[in-house]
Amino acid sequence: PLRLDIKRKLTARSDRVKSVDLHPSEPWMLISLYSGTVVVWNHESQVPVTCCHTHTCRHCSTRHSRRTFVVVLCARVFSDDMLIKLWDWDRKWTCSQVFEGHAHYVMQIVINPKDNNQFASASLDRTIKVWQLGSKMPNFTLEGHEKGVNCIDYYGGGDKPYLVSGADDRLVKIWDYQNKTCVQTLVGHAQNVTCVSFHPELPIILTGAEDGTVRVWHSNTYRLENTLNYSMERVWCVCSQPGSNSVALGYDEGSIILKLGREEPAMSMDSSGKVMWAHHSEVQQANLKAMGDAEIRDGERLALAVKDMGSCEIYPQTIQHICVGARFLTVCPQHLFLSSHAVDENIDTAVPSAWYAIREGNNMVKIFKNFKEKKIFKPEFGAEGIFAGFLLGVRSNSSLAFYDWESAELVRRIEIQPKHIFWSDSGELVCIATDESFFVLRYLPEKVSAAQESKEGTSEDGIEDAFEVLGEVAEVVKTGAWVGDCFIYISSVNRLNYYVGGEIITIAHMDRPMYLLGYIPKDDRLYLGDKELNIVSYSLLLSVLEYQTAIMRKDFNTADSLLPTIPKEQRTRVAHFLEKQGFRQQALAVSTDPEHRFELALQLGELKLAHQLASEAESEQKWKQLAELATTKCQFSLAQECLHQAQDYGGLLLLATASGNADMVGKLAEGAERDGRTNVAFLTYFMRGR
Ligand SMILES: *[C@@H]1O[C@H](CO)[C@@H](O)[C@H](O)[C@H]1NC(C)=O
Ligand SMILES: *[C@@H]1O[C@H](CO)[C@@H](O)[C@H](O)[C@H]1NC(C)=O
Ligand SMILES: *[C@@H]1O[C@H](CO)[C@@H](O)[C@H](O)[C@H]1NC(C)=O
Ligand SMILES: *[C@@H]1O[C@H](CO)[C@@H](O)[C@H](O)[C@H]1NC(C)=O
Ligand SMILES: *[C@@H]1O[C@H](CO)[C@@H](O)[C@H](O)[C@H]1NC(C)=O
């Protein structure tokens, strides 16, 4: 069985929908109505983007070319005939070929994705015909349906030469178009079948019918996995998109977008660099250590030797390494993937201890330790989801409650709707990510035990002082991990960042969605996976993370001992971090960038160092800045020198006259005259009566 998560994301009521399509990159759904209206919906913001009216329009599709969104509409402006016509887009839509052979209306054609010269047609004459471009007559005919055939689709994978068809005999048939036989007949629909589709990613076939249901069949076992009935009357069309888990459906009464399974790939890495993932039902493993010392560049796809681990009986939706005792195991939630134990519930595991929890229904939570059931309890506000970590998080429809694993007692309830929760290894810091932002909190176990003892500071929401909020960042975290006190994450706009002490540091901007697998300290690298199960890496120095962690903990001894391990080119970055944390003196000691050091020297009033840096830089701007500082510090001879270096005659004049220094005024006059600063020269001569 597949046990696919199926969620309804959008319901758009309208007149009869005859065709739907999904944009390949934008979150747009195009629907064309029987009435001739065409609407584009943004399925993320859930609003219609645009709308237009045409002739009666039956089929539409989108073509993506650069940034244009071309909508091709096919209107039945001609009378129905039994012909298929090829229209040439490049030659002003001239009809370049006619295909003859069907004895009744042609309902649909599809082009073979593996051979663009071949297409198949479905007709009310009860047949499917396969054609070659360039040949007027069909290549061959597939017969077997007992009533008109409404719809067909090619299987896109390379392993099977299959077609699927749906007909008014209420049957769905799978055909092998190489040996031209019907491989399987799927029985279940109670009315005419109107649309069929092989899903481009998942091992499923989707079929829709006039009985109002969409059925999900396993494309290998042909088992009926789900029957979806959204009570929108007859189903007319289904559309799925490669690389996406959205499926659009069109009905008599509107359209629906479903999300099937999870967006993230089922991939996990353990701390030794073994990566495990599921490719459809097959579980595979690769070892990063086996790559040797090959030079790796940031963002480059890693060439890994892949080992097959066998196949999962249940379609794995996530994979996660957990550590139980000294052993590492892999878990696919909804199914524990180890020594024939299978647990068919929502499960989340606590790393690195041996605790894990299982959610039963929407109100019970079972706690296990070392695979033994320890406790079962009913969270007061319901259990819509669970999050393992230092504490057990239980999400309800309005809040998040943290429980103690051992006692299953409430520690703290927070009004928040979390998507993900990430605990640091020490259990001291936790990041709670929501749909809009993320929060970093510090967990205060001393306050918790104090409150538990004294019974003070507790309410129905738990212990008030259990957490301290350190910061909120308006970014959506997709995946993340802690290294020390640094929270590394990938944001919804594909940015690889880390958060430390309230500051965000960007490591890379990526061109596609990536998922964080983990950090291997020994390699100083972060590993990321994408949907196609490629693995890439980015350099991130452990010494820098450790240094920043030490600074956050105000452990300057450790920080000082780490400093020599930080390469010179990283020092300035670290210095900027120190400065932002308010440690300017340390920043000045660490920075290697003269500009930064000069700024810091000015801020710290280090006139001598600033003077040295200004002389090295020979920058007029720096001399001016230093002159200003020297003046405020009443260091007039330094100020004079600086103004002189900056050739700031106006400043010199002010300084000389204000200090009543006739000698200086005299020298200034000569200098100014020599340099052609006539205004200043005139004034100085005038004042001295010359
Ligand atoms: C079908 O197409 C194949 C490949 O183009 C060709 O070799 C074969 O002769 C065709 N058969 C018929 C009956 O047209
Ligand atoms: C045609 O191929 C399918 C596999 O795709 C096989 O199951 C079936 O037995 C074959 N039929 C004939 C008649 O060779
Ligand atoms: C199913 O198709 C037949 C024609 O084969 C048609 O007469 C009938 O009305 C259709 N059923 C529904 C529910 O529309
Ligand atoms: C779909 O649901 C509606 C409303 O609950 C019901 O009337 C209808 O019979 C269902 N259809 C099927 C085929 O189960
Ligand atoms: C939230 O859950 C409570 C109790 O579990 C329930 O009474 C309430 O109706 C739910 N609210 C929503 C909006 O689902």
Side-chain angles (χ1 to χ4, degrees):
L2 278 172
R3 297 183 187 282
L4 269 187
D5 266 357
I6 300 181
K7 284 202 193 95
R8 185 151 39 146
K9 255 183 71 190
L10 171 79
T11 307
R13 295 266 167 193
S14 66
D15 290 342
R16 184 185 307 171
V17 176
K18 289 303 290 185
S19 181
V20 283
D21 197 14
L22 291 167
H23 193 275
S25 55
E26 300 296 331
W28 294 340
M29 169 176 68
L30 176 71
I31 62 177
S32 71
L33 306 185
Y34 193 76
S35 62
T37 304
V38 175
V39 189
V40 178
W41 276 80
N42 183 322
H43 51 80
E44 260 165 28
S45 56
Q46 309 240 327
V47 289
V49 179
T50 177
C51 179
C52 64
H53 301 273
T54 64
H55 292 289
T56 318
C57 139
R58 294 292 182 83
H59 297 284
C60 62
S61 85
T62 55
R63 289 288 171 269
H64 187 56
S65 95
R66 300 224 179 92
R67 313 190 78 184
T68 7
F69 185 44
V70 180
V71 179
V72 179
L73 301 170
C74 242
R76 279 212 186 178
V77 285
F78 305 104
S79 63
D80 286 315
D81 58 23
M82 299 162 207
L83 304 177
I84 298 165
K85 293 182 179 177
L86 179 68
W87 305 89
D88 194 332
W89 165 321
D90 288 331
R91 295 207 194 106
K92 298 189 176 160
W93 297 101
T94 49
C95 176
S96 62
Q97 207 179 336
V98 180
F99 301 87
E100 288 175 63
H102 277 300
H104 204 315
Y105 298 154
V106 178
M107 300 304 286
Q108 192 182 359
I109 74 132
V110 277
I111 294 174
N112 186 344
K114 287 168 275 183
D115 174 4
N116 284 344
N117 278 318
Q118 192 193 73
F119 68 92
S121 57
S123 164
L124 290 189
D125 68 7
R126 306 176 182 187
T127 70
I128 296 151
K129 290 182 189 293
V130 176
W131 314 72
Q132 296 285 331
L133 288 185
S135 165
K136 224 170 116 99
M137 303 296 290
N139 196 292
F140 56 87
T141 302
L142 300 172
E143 283 172 89
H145 280 296
E146 281 170 12
K147 285 193 179 165
V149 188
N150 293 316
C151 47
I152 40 170
D153 194 23
Y154 273 102
Y155 175 67
D159 50 336
K160 287 178 240 165
Y162 283 5
L163 269 168
V164 58
S165 62
D168 281 345
D169 59 8
R170 304 174 183 181
L171 300 178
V172 173
K173 284 177 181 286
I174 317 291
W175 308 83
D176 181 318
Y177 59 80
Q178 266 167 12
N179 66 16
K180 307 181 183 63
T181 50
C182 174
V183 188
Q184 191 79 26
T185 300
L186 311 181
V187 185
H189 278 298
Q191 262 302 339
N192 305 343
V193 180
T194 51
C195 51
V196 289
S197 165
F198 275 111
H199 194 278
E201 307 284 335
L202 300 164
I204 55 171
I205 299 166
L206 295 157
T207 61
E210 294 186 29
D211 62 10
T213 67
V214 169
R215 288 173 198 248
V216 183
W217 315 79
H218 197 301
S219 61
N220 299 329
T221 62
Y222 303 115
R223 223 179 84 122
L224 178 64
E225 295 284 342
N226 288 87
T227 300
L228 308 173
N229 179 3
Y230 296 115
S231 304
M232 300 262 272
E233 296 298 328
R234 293 171 297 182
V235 186
W236 294 110
C237 43
V238 52
C239 169
S240 36
Q241 189 60 225
S244 152
N245 61 349
S246 298
V247 169
L249 305 169
Y251 288 85
D252 266 338
E253 295 182 349
S255 44
I256 281 179
I257 289 193
L258 302 178
K259 258 204 176 336
L260 303 182
R262 291 163 58 104
E263 197 85 53
E264 303 92 57
M267 258 181 146
S268 171
M269 181 174 83
D270 72 9
S271 55
S272 75
K274 282 206 189 78
V275 188
M276 212 180 234
W277 63 81
H279 180 245
H280 300 312
S281 297
E282 307 299 318
V283 178
Q284 298 176 322
Q285 186 180 281
N287 193 346
L288 296 173
K289 267 196 290 195
M291 284 190 305
D293 295 330
E295 175 95 16
I296 303 171
R297 265 182 300 172
D298 282 0
E300 194 176 73
R301 214 191 120 197
L302 305 181
L304 294 168
V306 175
K307 197 161 98 189
D308 279 319
M309 303 295 286
S311 94
C312 250
E313 201 179 306
I314 294 173
Y315 191 80
Q317 304 199 36
T318 70
I319 285 189
Q320 190 182 346
H321 280 91
I322 61 166
C323 173
V324 177
R327 290 179 302 147
F328 283 97
L329 302 161
T330 302
V331 170
C332 316
Q334 302 189 344
H335 170 58
L336 221 49
F337 187 68
L338 52 102
S339 58
S340 76
H341 289 265
V343 185
D344 294 336
E345 294 297 339
N346 286 314
I347 169 172
D348 203 359
T349 52
V351 185
S353 70
W355 291 103
Y356 71 94
I358 288 178
R359 188 169 70 99
E360 288 196 327
N362 279 350
N363 50 29
M364 298 303 283
V365 175
K366 260 188 194 167
I367 296 181
F368 290 78
K369 188 179 189 182
N370 290 324
F371 303 105
K372 283 197 202 77
E373 189 178 322
K374 287 283 173 190
K375 223 162 209 130
I376 175 158
F377 73 107
K378 186 168 189 279
E380 197 181 335
F381 300 93
E384 304 273 327
I386 49 176
F387 304 90
F390 197 75
L391 297 173
L392 170 63
V394 179
R395 178 170 62 81
S396 71
N397 58 12
S398 61
S399 66
L400 166 69
F402 283 113
Y403 292 87
D404 183 73
W405 285 99
E406 197 89 43
S407 64
E409 264 175 40
L410 178 68
V411 175
R412 183 80 181 128
R413 196 170 81 93
I414 304 172
E415 297 282 329
I416 197 170
Q417 279 291 298
K419 292 292 272 190
H420 308 283
I421 296 180
F422 306 92
W423 284 87
S424 70
D425 286 345
S426 63
E428 209 177 305
L429 298 171
V430 59
C431 166
I432 304 178
T434 72
D435 272 335
E436 282 136 26
S437 61
F438 69 88
F439 296 82
V440 176
L441 282 70
R442 186 188 299 287
Y443 177 53
L444 304 163
E446 332 73 65
K447 297 257 166 103
V448 171
S449 11
Q452 278 165 342
E453 256 165 48
S454 68
K455 305 267 178 256
E456 271 168 34
T458 62
S459 68
E460 60 188 29
D461 286 340
I463 296 152
E464 268 145 45
D465 293 335
F467 290 95
E468 175 193 357
V469 181
L470 300 180
E472 179 186 358
V473 179
E475 274 197 291
V476 180
V477 173
K478 288 291 195 187
T479 44
W482 287 89
V483 178
D485 289 2
C486 306
F487 178 63
I488 304 166
Y489 65 93
I490 298 176
S491 74
S492 56
V493 293
N494 303 329
R495 212 166 280 170
L496 176 60
N497 288 345
Y498 72 97
Y499 168 100
V500 57
E503 207 195 324
I504 305 290
I505 296 154
T506 297
I507 304 162
H509 297 258
M510 294 167 306
D511 57 0
R512 63 188 191 284
M514 300 290 298
Y515 304 88
L516 190 62
L517 292 172
Y519 181 70
I520 305 268
K522 186 176 63 58
D523 300 354
D524 284 322
R525 295 194 86 78
L526 273 172
Y527 293 92
L528 288 67
D530 69 8
K531 248 198 186 121
E532 280 73 48
L533 306 171
N534 299 311
I535 298 173
V536 303
S537 69
Y538 286 90
S539 151
L540 181 59
L541 293 180
L542 179 66
S543 51
V544 173
L545 298 179
E546 282 180 337
Y547 185 86
Q548 289 175 326
T549 299
I551 296 298
M552 287 321 298
R553 295 179 184 168
K554 298 201 169 61
D555 178 358
F556 294 106
N557 288 337
T558 306
D560 286 346
S561 68
L562 284 165
L563 191 59
T565 63
I566 298 177
K568 290 258 176 322
E569 63 275 12
Q570 297 281 338
R571 297 270 173 96
T572 301
R573 219 176 85 189
V574 171
H576 279 288
F577 169 77
L578 285 166
E579 183 189 352
K580 285 200 184 129
Q581 297 305 316
F583 304 120
R584 287 195 204 132
Q585 200 74 51
Q586 286 88 340
L588 180 59
V590 169
S591 183
T592 55
D593 173 20
E595 297 288 328
H596 189 215
R597 296 189 66 205
F598 182 74
E599 284 300 322
L600 288 167
L602 286 188
Q603 287 174 28
L604 290 163
E606 300 256 1
L607 293 176
K608 232 170 127 186
L609 180 62
H611 181 265
Q612 184 195 329
L613 288 164
S615 339
E616 282 163 12
E618 292 178 9
S619 135
E620 194 179 305
Q621 178 59 29
K622 282 201 176 54
W623 286 119
K624 276 194 181 149
Q625 281 174 274
L626 186 53
E628 212 168 286
L629 181 66
T631 311
T632 61
K633 298 227 166 209
C634 302
Q635 302 280 331
F636 296 122
S637 64
L638 177 62
Q640 186 184 344
E641 185 198 339
C642 295
L643 290 169
H644 187 72
Q645 294 284 2
Q647 302 192 355
D648 182 350
Y649 287 100
L652 283 170
L653 178 59
L654 184 66
L655 185 62
T657 51
S659 57
N661 186 337
D663 201 30
M664 186 176 160
V665 175
K667 279 198 191 129
L668 177 58
E670 284 153 32
E673 189 183 7
R674 197 173 50 238
D675 284 353
R677 306 289 171 97
T678 320
N679 275 354
V680 175
F682 173 81
L683 258 176
T684 41
Y685 283 130
F686 183 78
M687 272 189 285
R688 297 191 68 215
R690 291 183 59 192

